[in-house]
Amino acid sequence: MDIIKAINLCSICANHLPLPPRPILQFSPLAKILIIGQAPGIKAHESHKAWHDASGKRLREWLKLDEKQFYTPSILSIVPMGFCYPGKAKSGDLPPRPECAPKWHGELLKTSKPKLVILIGKHAQDYYLTDNRKLTERLQNWGDYQPKYMVLPHPSPRNNIWLKKNAWFEKTVLPQMQQVLASHL
Ligand code: SF4
């Protein structure tokens, strides 16, 4: 696809990146499920594979998908808010580059019709949802976004404190989300 070729050649925000641009996404117009996450971490950047790290391992557990299913583009598209590794912040990584989604998402996603869009973390949710809720409130009211969207917290180990504090998410909400997801596979 020409759009994928164009993304792979993109260097719009190269001056703000710590490493040369290396866009990472997985896309098929046929995919029934679309994951919109944050931005690749350094491990995903090095392997050039989306979610190829501890966050990805937990995400696959949450979604009950094995690696083969997860990395099959006709099942799942993976389109982060920023396609390139943004660099380190004081704690964790920097946010996705703000140029990326406005430049590429509209053109790319108009070629697909996923049945379910999974918005992972604050950046993807703030961009795609029209409410002003905080992440925790969105998760408590996740059914409000169905059937189009499913909202998830970021599965990073850096979120372990939030997950511990909000044990209801993995205990009661996640099993319901897994049922919804299974109905789309
Ligand atoms: S993050 Fe996005 S906008 Fe920036 S260089 Fe990579 S593909 Fe281009």
Side-chain angles (χ1 to χ4, degrees):
M1 289 171 74
D2 288 347
I3 174 82
I4 301 288
K5 281 185 196 157
I7 290 170
N8 283 330
L9 291 171
C10 179
S11 60
I12 287 174
C13 68
N15 289 345
H16 300 281
L17 299 175
L19 297 167
R22 199 176 193 205
I24 299 177
L25 67 156
Q26 169 175 303
F27 182 77
S28 164
L30 304 176
K32 290 180 186 164
I33 297 169
L34 165 65
I35 288 181
I36 301 182
Q38 198 161 308
I42 188 64
K43 284 193 178 165
H45 172 88
E46 285 166 356
S47 64
H48 204 223
K49 202 168 178 184
W51 294 100
H52 192 232
D53 51 18
S55 300
K57 187 171 179 288
R58 179 182 272 159
L59 178 61
R60 285 183 283 280
E61 285 166 9
W62 280 356
L63 302 181
K64 287 186 173 278
L65 295 175
D66 60 27
E67 284 214 19
K68 196 175 169 204
Q69 292 169 309
F70 190 82
Y71 290 115
T72 299
S74 57
I75 295 178
L76 202 74
S77 284
I78 301 172
V79 178
M81 289 299 293
F83 296 151
C84 300
Y85 170 61
K88 279 228 156 299
K90 269 186 192 164
S91 162
D93 288 344
L94 287 167
R97 284 304 310 170
E99 301 87 343
C100 202
K103 169 68 184 169
W104 294 116
H105 278 209
E107 199 181 338
L108 179 66
L109 299 181
K110 75 179 180 196
T111 64
S112 70
K113 282 196 176 126
K115 289 187 176 163
L116 181 68
V117 180
I118 302 176
L119 299 172
I120 301 181
K122 174 185 160 48
H123 296 290
Q125 290 166 19
D126 285 353
Y127 191 79
Y128 278 98
L129 301 178
T130 49
D131 57 31
N132 288 317
R133 286 170 166 169
K134 303 269 186 222
L135 184 133
T136 303
E137 197 185 348
R138 285 179 180 143
L139 289 161
Q140 286 164 336
N141 297 283
W142 69 279
D144 291 357
Y145 309 104
Q146 283 283 290
K148 185 174 181 183
Y149 293 116
M150 182 175 280
V151 288
L152 283 180
H154 200 285
S156 165
R158 290 188 175 273
N159 253 349
N160 284 352
I161 293 173
W162 184 92
L163 287 167
K164 206 172 169 190
K165 220 168 120 185
N166 296 279
W168 51 267
F169 169 71
E170 288 186 296
K171 207 171 169 187
T172 58
V173 169
L174 194 57
Q176 296 172 56
M177 289 180 164
Q178 287 165 342
Q179 281 185 5
V180 171
L181 192 73
S183 73
H184 289 292
L185 289 171

